[in-house]
Amino acid sequence: MPVRWTAHGGGPPVVLVHGIPTSPGLWRHVAPLVPGRCYAWEMRGYGHSIPEGQSADIGLSAQADYLLAWLRSREFTQPPVLVGHDLGGGVAQIAAVRDPGAFSALVLTNAVCYDSWPIPRVKAMRALAPALAHLPDVLLYPSFVQLLRQGHDSRERALESIGEHWAPYVAHGAAPALMRQVSALRTEDTTAIADRLPDLGLPAAVVWGDADRFQKADYGERLAADLGTRFNRIRDGRHFTPEDHPEEIAAAIRSVLP
């Protein structure tokens, strides 16, 4: 099954994992600011890999296995820094717990963790997924726009983000694709590994938009404490920090680069 990613720059490897409803383009403003070779990995069933999600497990636990398999196939000369946002942050935690030696450091920003997710809106969508999967794009689009706007503190970046991330859904069937994604979300994927985070032993950075309505800052503070690192707060930042605040995310990555 094909695996997709984008790459930028040169230097120590950095693997970037997006969340929902985004794709590797989430990192388009971060990668140019990082002095490393950035690989923005695409989760199966997301972005241009939406078709591959039709007959595969696309939950976070499975995504972590796909990520680790891809890493082994790449044969990096040194373990990469692993960076995750939103669902990608959950994938990163699971992958790091399963194989901590595969990574040199862990960076998390506004990530799902513990029992912080799915958010109420996504739970409602999951409950109605069989019916919502048949919605025409024109009826789903306003909800998509509203979700992204609520997650941005920069209006300009919100408008840019909508265009960036809506395109793959339109290309591959927006409603059924999104409903497959939300139907695969299981809180147990992160709660099952939560007690192992304090013993992970990896250098880590946690950076969070403290006005995030989706993943509350309290969870970020708990995550930082468990990982033995300081909590880096982006004042008035919302959920989509890699798009609104790429400088802060890049700085967190630079702080743990080998």
Side-chain angles (χ1 to χ4, degrees):
M1 193 168 287
V3 180
R4 295 178 177 85
W5 67 91
T6 62
H8 184 281
V14 178
V15 174
L16 309 159
V17 188
H18 65 89
I20 187 173
T22 63
S23 57
L26 175 78
W27 305 102
R28 64 197 180 279
H29 298 299
V30 174
L33 303 177
V34 175
R37 179 68 168 169
C38 289
Y39 299 86
W41 183 76
E42 186 166 79
M43 292 199 296
R44 189 170 297 179
Y46 288 77
H48 294 293
S49 298
I50 283 173
E52 284 75 49
Q54 293 183 19
S55 58
D57 183 352
I58 58 172
L60 268 61
S61 182
Q63 299 283 4
D65 284 340
Y66 303 148
L67 174 62
L68 289 168
W70 174 75
L71 287 171
R72 288 191 288 270
S73 75
R74 295 295 299 166
E75 297 182 346
F76 290 116
T77 57
Q78 64 187 101
V81 173
L82 180 59
V83 185
H85 171 261
D86 187 74
L87 296 187
V91 172
Q93 292 163 58
I94 298 165
V97 162
R98 288 180 178 168
D99 191 356
F103 307 103
S104 63
L106 179 64
V107 179
L108 300 171
T109 177
N110 294 73
V112 303
C113 51
Y114 312 110
D115 61 352
S116 72
W117 65 293
I119 63 174
R121 178 181 297 182
V122 171
K123 287 181 180 178
M125 291 173 64
R126 186 172 60 182
L128 298 172
L132 294 178
H134 300 288
L135 276 180
D137 291 354
V138 69
L139 294 182
L140 182 63
Y141 182 69
S143 296
F144 184 90
V145 169
Q146 183 184 42
L147 178 69
L148 265 69
R149 282 182 171 168
Q150 287 182 346
H152 284 272
D153 53 278
S154 166
R155 177 176 173 79
E156 178 183 354
R157 285 288 163 84
L159 293 173
E160 177 190 307
S161 177
I162 291 164
E164 175 76 25
H165 303 303
W166 179 245
Y169 285 106
V170 172
H172 301 292
L178 188 58
M179 292 312 113
R180 279 195 300 273
Q181 292 166 1
V182 301
S183 296
L185 303 183
R186 298 179 290 268
T187 311
E188 294 78 13
D189 287 348
T190 50
T191 57
I193 54 93
D195 63 347
R196 297 173 64 184
L197 294 175
D199 300 320
L200 198 54
L202 284 174
V206 176
V207 56
W208 219 270
D210 67 2
D212 189 349
R213 303 180 188 181
F214 307 146
Q215 296 300 314
K216 304 295 186 182
D218 288 351
Y219 279 103
E221 291 179 329
R222 177 181 171 188
L223 200 53
D226 276 350
L227 293 173
T229 189
R230 65 185 295 267
F231 181 67
N232 299 289
R233 184 184 300 271
I234 300 176
R235 295 288 180 186
D236 301 320
R238 295 189 185 180
H239 185 66
F240 294 102
T241 51
E243 293 178 318
D244 289 344
H245 302 279
E247 296 84 0
E248 286 87 342
I249 307 306
I253 297 170
R254 289 195 299 270
S255 75
V256 296
L257 273 176

